[in-house]
Amino acid sequence: MKRIWTLLLVAFTLSLHAQTPKHEVRAVWLTTIGGLDWPHNYAYNGNGIERQQQELRSLLDKYKAAGINTILIQTRIRGTVIYPSMYEPWDGCLSGKPGISPGYDALQFAIDECHKRGMELHAWVVTMPVGKWNGKGCTQLRKRFPKLIRKIGEDGYMNPEDGQAARYLADLCEEITHNYDIDGIHLDYIRYPETWKLKVSQTQGRQYITGIVRAIRDRVKALKPWVKMSCSPIGKYSDLSRYWSHGWNAYAKGCQDAQGWLRDGLMDELFPMMYFKGDQFYPFAIDWAEQSHGKIVAPGLGIYFLSPKEANWPISTITQEMEVLRQQGLGHAFFRGKFLTDDTKGIYGFTKRFNPAPALIPPMTWERATPPASPFHLSIKGHSLFWQESIANDNPPSILYNVYASRECPVDVSKAQNLISTRQTAPEIHFSKSIEGWYFAVTAMDRFGNESAPRQSHELPSATHTNAQLLSCDGYQLALPDKGSVLDADMVAIETLQGKLITLRPYRGKTADVSQVREGFYVLRSVNMKGKTHRLGFFQIKRNQ
């Protein structure tokens, strides 16, 4: 019997020529503990600050060039943070000295730089571990909450069975959400430690962990319902009927009911830590996809295993996993950032080829599904595109814009390859070269990811244009263009202006029956036996009442 992932790879191969998805999460964990991914120098003066900030700019530029759209930046590290907090001290990764400010707000800087590049920033909050027992963060927490912190080995951990853990972590996440324009709160290690001697039932343990998740979620959503709640559960949810998790799974071992959190609305997004391969990866990835409950799942890939100093995996292990995840409609996340930008085993180069076009984050329709109004008065002036801002829904107040471009009119906004700029805040875009011969479309998008209908830079070609006219249609029969001696098409396709296929008709005779197609504007395309298409023109179906 063929293995299940072999079948998936065959299915993916059959769709290699399909366009890349317009909506897909492509994430990176940007680790700050010990400066593993960033920063690699300390900010103890003005020059140090600039070097630190420029390093982050360069990393973000590389991520963007590889199609990454989500940055998970480690914000709470081990009872320490990278922003000025009323609850916890500065981590030493920035200034070189725990408790000492680097002279700037690193979280705010990261948010601004991500948003400039059209990327989301999620604050990665390490929950239960609080560092070395005598470290800065752990010591302060032990003084404030003597009964909350438990010692395991040389480290301190919050006791998930103590109600103060939920209240304190909710306070911390509320502070971040209130003070910063983040796009998500990402909870890490929201589980029992591996060596914790569980004295309650697994059911009770899951209730304790879920209670913490609920407390954080309620505080965050009360402030900003568009902020995504996510976590990084253990990569295998539970044992499957045919595949054993080898005793390491989210549900039983870590008491993480992550699939239940999706179902019950406590999580919007999951980044399961799937640092496995073969039958410890593919069946469990399918399980996450099947139990997503319509929410977002972007499994984490252990690209650090590509390093010869780690497991020395061949790059094909990761690239095949990426291909299957896309075939299953899932996103992907890389752990961790340095191995991507170092191009370990060629993973950066592959990712750039794998993501030839940008992608938007899937909309949070479970929170809100009403799209904003389209932008107004789209116009081209010289090398620039301008439009009038859309009217925002009542909450949140901000509207973002996505810009599309194509050599064809109208611009098909369903195709990722036409997307040239995402999450813009200003109602204008400037180009360094001539844009003659290009057509544009702009959509408005709210913070939930709901996208408006497009505003096109050019109207649909009509009889008033000297070089184009609508195909003749009386509302029931559409006049077909003459195929001539070159066109080898056997069928014609009728599509909406956004590229959605409505129906196929034989390309024979002089007319095609459109009596069952609704009134509106459509595109007519020829289709040959190889599936190649050619646009024949536009037409309008309008019937006398």
Side-chain angles (χ1 to χ4, degrees), residues 183-196:
D183 300 290
I185 288 286
H186 176 63
L187 304 179
D188 185 21
Y189 219 110
I190 187 71
R191 58 180 173 87
Y192 279 86
E194 296 91 319
T195 55
W196 187 282

Side-chain angles (χ1 to χ4, degrees), residues 430-484:
H430 306 281
F431 302 92
S432 58
K433 298 180 180 180
S434 172
I435 55 178
E436 183 178 355
W438 286 92
Y439 302 98
F440 297 91
V442 178
T443 61
M445 186 173 69
D446 64 21
R447 293 297 292 273
F448 297 93
N450 297 300
E451 197 175 18
S452 74
R455 182 68 62 188
Q456 300 279 348
S457 62
H458 295 73
E459 297 295 329
L460 183 72
S462 67
T464 60
H465 290 73
T466 59
N467 61 346
Q469 63 180 18
L470 297 176
L471 301 174
S472 177
C473 180
D474 63 4
Y476 302 92
Q477 295 292 320
L478 169 66
L480 295 176
D482 183 14
K483 285 199 286 187

Side-chain angles (χ1 to χ4, degrees), residues 277-299:
K277 59 181 180 177
D279 61 8
Q280 289 297 291
F281 181 89
Y282 296 104
F284 296 94
I286 294 172
D287 180 57
W288 287 113
E290 292 178 343
Q291 303 300 323
S292 67
H293 299 281
K295 307 299 178 24
I296 303 169
V297 178

Side-chain angles (χ1 to χ4, degrees), residues 15 60 270 286 378 416 435 486 517 543:
S15 63
L60 295 180
L270 291 183
I286 294 172
L378 184 59
I435 55 178
V486 178
V517 181
R543 304 182 180 99

Side-chain angles (χ1 to χ4, degrees), residues 33 74-83 88-93 98-99 126 129-130 135-138 141 172:
I33 187 170
Q74 196 171 25
T75 300
R76 189 206 192 207
I77 301 174
R78 294 292 188 273
T80 53
V81 293
I82 64 167
Y83 68 94
E88 295 190 339
W90 287 94
D91 188 80
C93 69
V126 180
V130 292
K136 188 77 172 181
C138 186
L141 282 172
L172 193 69

Side-chain angles (χ1 to χ4, degrees), residues 299-370:
L301 304 178
I303 60 172
Y304 65 98
F305 279 136
L306 296 173
S307 171
K309 296 180 180 179
E310 296 288 344
N312 201 25
W313 282 0
I315 189 174
S316 59
T317 299
I318 297 295
T319 59
Q320 289 175 4
E321 290 178 349
M322 292 171 66
E323 290 166 351
V324 170
L325 292 180
R326 177 166 290 174
Q327 193 271 340
Q328 288 292 303
L330 301 174
H332 55 271
F334 293 124
F335 186 81
R336 52 185 175 80
K338 184 177 187 297
F339 296 92
L340 178 64
T341 50
D342 282 357
D343 199 21
T344 307
K345 293 279 181 71
I347 186 61
Y348 183 80
F350 174 84
T351 302
K352 288 184 71 173
R353 297 189 298 274
F354 189 71
N355 299 328
L360 300 178
I361 308 298
M364 299 168 62
T365 52
W366 51 92
E367 288 281 358
R368 172 178 289 177
T370 304

Side-chain angles (χ1 to χ4, degrees), residues 211-227:
I212 298 172
V213 171
R214 188 182 302 277
I216 297 171
R217 186 263 181 202
D218 289 350
R219 295 276 199 94
V220 168
K221 294 291 186 177
L223 285 174
K224 298 175 181 177
W226 61 92
V227 168

